[in-house]
Amino acid sequence: MTKPSEESSQGSTVDAKKSYISKLPNEITKDEIDDTSDFTQEKVPAKLGFSGRFAEFRDSFKRFDLGELDPNLSDLEKANIIASRSPLQRKLKSRHIQMIAIGGAIGTGLFVGSGTALASGGPASLIISYLLTGIMIFCTVQALGELAVAFPVAGSFLSMCSRFVSPAWGFVISWNYAMQWLIVMPLELVAASLTINYWHSNVSPAVWVTIFYVCILVVNIFGVKGYGEVEYWLSVIKVIAIVGFCILGIILNCGGGPKGGYIGGKFYHNPGAFNHGFKGLCAVFVTAAFSFAGTELVGLASAETENPSKTLPSASKQVVWRIFGFYLISLTIVGLLVPYNDPRLLTANSLSATASPFVISIENAGISVLPSIFNAVILISLISVANSAVFGCSRTIASLADQGFAPKIFGYIDRMGRPIMGIALSMLVGLICYLSVSPKESEAFAWLMALSGLSSVITWATICLSHIRFRQAMKAQGRSIEELSFTALSGVAGSWFGLGLNVVVLGVQFWVALFPLGGKPNPTSFFENYLNSVVNVALFAFYLLWKRRKSIIWIHAKDMDLTTGRRDVDIELVKQERAEQKAFMASKPWWYRTYKFWC
C-alpha cells in the first residue's frame, strides 16, 4: 500500500505536470512529455521566458479547427452549424455590453452631423425626426435582443437573416453591412484628423491618421477583450460629456453664461422652429438614422458575451436611456442655443468638429476653454466609432465566409477568437484614410459615404423582418413563446412599426435625393444620396446569377431551422423562474418595479 505522503507527493507531481503542459506551446502534446516522475514542483518554471511567450503569441494566430461537416448538407444548413460552432471567445463582460449599449455608437452623427440636420430642418424637425427614429431603434434592438438571446451565434442578425428570411437577402444585407463598416473606419479617421485642426495644427493630416490607425490596429490585435475594455472607457467619457453638456446647456439657456442674457425659446420664433417645411423634416430623418448607426453592434457581440441570456436583455432595455437621455435632451438644448441659420453649421467642413452645434453653442456663450475640452471629447468619439467599425466589419466578414458568401479564407478565426482575415481586410481598406492629403478629398469621401449612406436603415428593417419571420416560424411549427427566456418588450407589433418606419425613411430619402433642398433634380445629387440602394439591387442580381437554380428567394415558415445554435432552455424551469420573478417584483415598491422594467 502506498503511503499517504507518497500519494500526496505523486498527486502534486501530476498536478505540476498538467500545469506545465498547459503553459507549453500548443504543438507540444502530452505524449511527447516523459514520465510523470520527471516532473517535480521544483522543476516547473515559475513563468515562461521570452522565447516561450513569443511562441505562445505566435501560435495564437493559428487557425481554430471547427471540425468536419457533412458534405451532404445544404449551404444554409452548413452555415447554421458553423455559426453555432464559432470559436469567438466569450470575453465581453456585463459592464462592457451595458456601456456599449449606452454610449458605444455615440459619435460623428450626434456631435457633428446634428449640425447639418439642424440647418436643414430647424430645431423642431430635429426633435421630431430623432424621436421617431429613436422609437424605431428601441423596437429594433428589442427584436434583436430576443433573437440574440435565443440564438447567441456568430454573425447574429446577419446569419439569422439567411435563416429566417432567405439566403439571397442574407447575402445582400451581409455585404451591405460589411461595406458600411469598411467605409466608416477611414471616414472617422479623417474626421479625427480634421478635428485636430480646431487647435490650428500645422501638422499634416497624414501624421494624425497614422497615429490613430496604429492605435486601432493594436487594440484589435488584443482581441475582443481589448475592444471591450477600450470601448467601455471611451463610452464612459462620452456619457459624462453629454450629461455635463446638458447641465451646462440649461444654465446657458437661463442666462448663466459669461455673456449672460436669457435665451429661452427665442430661436424657435426667430429664425423659426422649422426650415424648408415638410421636405426639411424628411431630410433630417436620414441624418438621424446615421446618428444611431452602430446600435445593433450589441447583437453582433452576443457570440462573444460571457452570459448573453442575462446581459443582452438588460442592454437592449438600456438603449432607451441613450435615445431619450442623451440624444433627445441634448438635441433639444442644442436647438435652443443655436439658430438653424448660423453660418458655421454649413460653411465649415461637414466632417470637422468646427461644424458641431455643441461646440458652437459653448462658443456663443463666451466660454474660452470648454470648447476645446468638448472638441477633445468629439475626437475621442470619432476614434471610438472607428474602433467599433473594425470590430463590426471583421465579424461581418467572418460571417460572410461562414455562410458561403465570401472566400473561405475570410472565415479564418485564430485560437484567441480573432477573425484575423476580417481585421486585415478592414485595416487594408482603412488605408483610404490617406486621401485626407489629397486635394480631391471632399469629393472622394462624398462618394464613399454614398456607398454606405442608407446601410443602417436597410439593416434595421431586416432585423425587424427577421424577428417577424421568427415568430411566424414559431407559430407555424407549433412552438410557444414560453420557450423564450427573453421576449421583446415591443413585441411583434414593434417590429412591424420598425419595418414600416424604415421603409418610409427609404421612401422620403428617395424624394429628397431626387428633388434636393434648394436645388433642381440632377444625377450627381441623386446618386450621392441614394447610391447604396442601387448597390443593393446589384448585389441581389449578382446572387441570383451566381446561384441560379440553387438560389433561395424566400424560406417558408414551416421550413425554418429553429434548432441549430439554439440555446438549450428548460421550459419548465423558465416558467418557474418567471413565476418567482413576478412574485418577487410584486413585493417591491412601484419605483423599483419601474426601474427594473427599463434596466
Side-chain angles (χ1 to χ4, degrees):
M1 180 178 292
T2 308
K3 296 180 180 180
S5 60
E6 294 177 350
E7 292 177 348
S8 177
S9 174
Q10 186 180 27
S12 62
T13 302
V14 173
D15 291 339
K17 175 182 177 180
K18 290 180 179 179
S19 176
Y20 182 77
I21 293 173
S22 67
K23 295 179 180 178
L24 289 174
N26 291 325
E27 63 264 38
I28 300 178
T29 63
K30 183 177 179 180
D31 295 333
E32 296 170 326
I33 307 298
D34 292 333
D35 186 73
T36 309
S37 60
D38 293 335
F39 284 83
T40 63
Q41 290 287 1
E42 290 76 20
K43 291 184 179 181
V44 176
K47 58 181 180 179
L48 292 175
F50 175 78
S51 59
R53 289 191 178 280
F54 177 78
E56 193 175 46
F57 174 75
R58 179 197 63 204
D59 294 339
S60 71
F61 290 93
K62 291 185 177 180
R63 188 166 192 159
F64 188 94
D65 186 13
L66 288 171
E68 296 295 327
L69 292 176
D70 187 346
N72 298 317
L73 296 174
S74 67
D75 291 342
L76 182 59
E77 290 171 331
K78 289 179 182 178
N80 292 340
I81 292 174
I82 291 174
S84 65
R85 291 183 185 177
S86 172
L88 295 172
Q89 295 189 1
R90 297 186 179 276
K91 289 190 175 181
L92 289 178
K93 300 181 182 297
S94 177
R95 64 183 179 89
H96 295 140
I97 294 297
Q98 302 291 352
M99 194 52 67
I100 290 172
I102 294 174
I106 295 176
T108 318
L110 175 63
F111 290 130
V112 182
S114 56
T116 303
L118 178 60
S120 300
S125 294
L126 193 69
I127 299 305
I128 293 171
S129 296
Y130 272 80
L131 175 61
L132 290 175
T133 305
I135 295 172
M136 178 271 292
I137 288 294
F138 176 72
C139 295
T140 302
V141 174
Q142 283 292 304
L144 177 57
E146 180 178 312
L147 292 173
V149 170
F151 299 90
V153 298
S156 187
F157 55 87
L158 301 172
S159 61
M160 283 183 271
C161 173
S162 296
R163 182 186 299 210
F164 299 132
V165 181
S166 78
W169 189 244
F171 173 83
V172 173
I173 196 63
S174 296
W175 273 112
N176 177 68
Y177 196 67
M179 187 167 56
Q180 171 190 340
W181 290 121
L182 280 171
I183 293 170
V184 164
M185 191 263 199
L187 280 176
E188 297 294 320
L189 292 184
V190 171
S193 69
L194 291 173
T195 300
I196 291 178
N197 289 335
Y198 180 86
W199 294 291
H200 306 291
S201 172
N202 294 321
V203 180
S204 170
V207 175
W208 297 117
V209 296
T210 299
I211 293 173
F212 302 144
Y213 183 94
V214 171
C215 289
I216 290 172
L217 176 61
V218 170
V219 168
N220 282 274
I221 287 298
F222 280 98
V224 70
K225 191 172 183 179
Y227 162 77
E229 201 63 38
V230 169
E231 280 305 300
Y232 175 81
W233 290 109
L234 294 182
S235 295
V236 167
I237 294 173
K238 289 186 283 186
V239 168
I240 292 174
I242 294 178
V243 172
F245 174 81
C246 291
I247 297 172
L248 174 65
I250 294 172
I251 295 172
L252 296 179
N253 186 260
C254 295
K259 289 186 176 180
Y262 176 75
I263 299 174
K266 72 177 184 179
F267 293 137
Y268 272 73
H269 299 284
N270 182 25
F274 293 93
N275 189 25
H276 296 113
F278 180 68
K279 184 179 285 189
L281 174 66
C282 294
V284 177
F285 268 115
V286 179
T287 305
F290 176 70
S291 299
F292 285 105
T295 306
E296 69 287 337
L297 282 175
V298 174
L300 199 62
S302 61
E304 298 171 80
T305 304
E306 281 187 348
N307 192 346
S309 63
K310 291 186 177 180
T311 303
L312 291 178
S314 179
S316 63
K317 291 177 183 178
Q318 290 183 3
V319 169
V320 73
W321 296 112
R322 189 172 91 195
I323 295 168
F324 292 98
F326 302 139
Y327 281 83
L328 293 179
I329 294 177
S330 64
L331 291 176
T332 298
I333 294 172
V334 161
L336 291 171
L337 297 177
V338 182
Y340 71 70
N341 60 356
D342 190 308
R344 288 169 292 180
L345 294 173
L346 292 177
T347 56
N349 190 307
S350 60
L351 289 177
S352 173
T354 54
S356 169
F358 291 81
V359 174
I360 292 172
S361 64
I362 299 172
E363 289 177 340
N364 288 347
I367 303 175
S368 57
V369 178
L370 201 53
S372 290
I373 296 175
F374 210 88
N375 194 65
V377 173
I378 293 175
L379 179 62
I380 288 171
S381 300
L382 293 168
I383 296 172
S384 169
V385 175
N387 186 41
S388 295
V390 177
F391 173 83
C393 178
S394 59
R395 274 65 184 173
T396 303
I397 293 296
S399 178
L400 278 163
D402 292 346
Q403 297 179 74
F405 298 154
K408 290 184 179 180
I409 188 63
F410 288 117
Y412 189 110
I413 297 178
D414 64 23
R415 296 177 181 179
M416 276 190 66
R418 295 170 298 204
I420 289 297
M421 297 309 297
I423 293 173
L425 179 62
S426 182
M427 299 307 296
L428 179 64
V429 176
L431 293 174
I432 294 174
C433 64
Y434 287 102
L435 283 173
S436 59
V437 297
S438 169
K440 296 287 186 180
E441 168 208 343
S442 298
E443 183 179 344
F445 281 107
W447 285 108
L448 285 174
M449 291 179 71
L451 282 172
S452 62
L454 295 172
S455 178
S456 292
V457 178
I458 296 172
T459 298
W460 297 330
T462 300
I463 291 172
C464 292
L465 179 60
S466 298
H467 180 239
I468 293 169
R469 297 283 292 148
F470 167 65
R471 287 292 190 92
Q472 289 176 345
M474 293 279 288
K475 184 177 181 180
Q477 297 182 26
R479 310 285 286 269
S480 170
I481 61 171
E482 294 294 327
E483 299 178 22
L484 305 176
S485 57
F486 171 70
T487 55
L489 294 177
S490 53
V492 180
S495 294
W496 278 111
F497 171 77
L499 177 61
L501 187 58
N502 279 300
V503 171
V504 169
V505 171
L506 290 173
V508 298
Q509 176 61 7
F510 179 82
W511 178 42
V512 173
L514 196 59
F515 302 99
L517 295 174
K520 296 180 180 180
N522 65 85
T524 301
S525 175
F526 176 78
F527 284 109
E528 281 185 351
N529 289 280
Y530 221 73
L531 182 60
N532 181 255
S533 295
V534 178
V535 171
N536 287 331
V537 173
L539 285 171
F540 190 78
F542 173 79
Y543 178 85
L544 295 181
L545 292 173
W546 174 33
K547 292 295 184 178
R548 297 184 182 178
R549 294 182 179 179
K550 293 183 178 180
S551 60
I552 302 176
I553 307 300
W554 190 255
I555 301 178
H556 296 290
K558 61 182 179 62
D559 298 326
M560 292 181 190
D561 180 4
L562 298 177
T563 305
T564 306
R566 181 80 176 271
R567 193 174 68 88
D568 293 331
V569 176
D570 186 330
I571 300 176
E572 294 302 321
L573 181 60
V574 170
K575 290 180 178 179
Q576 180 181 344
E577 289 177 349
R578 284 179 176 171
E580 292 175 353
Q581 182 67 15
K582 286 181 179 180
F584 173 76
M585 293 302 293
S587 65
K588 297 295 180 179
W590 66 269
W591 59 267
Y592 182 85
R593 294 196 300 270
T594 303
Y595 168 77
K596 294 302 292 183
F597 181 82
W598 292 110
C599 293

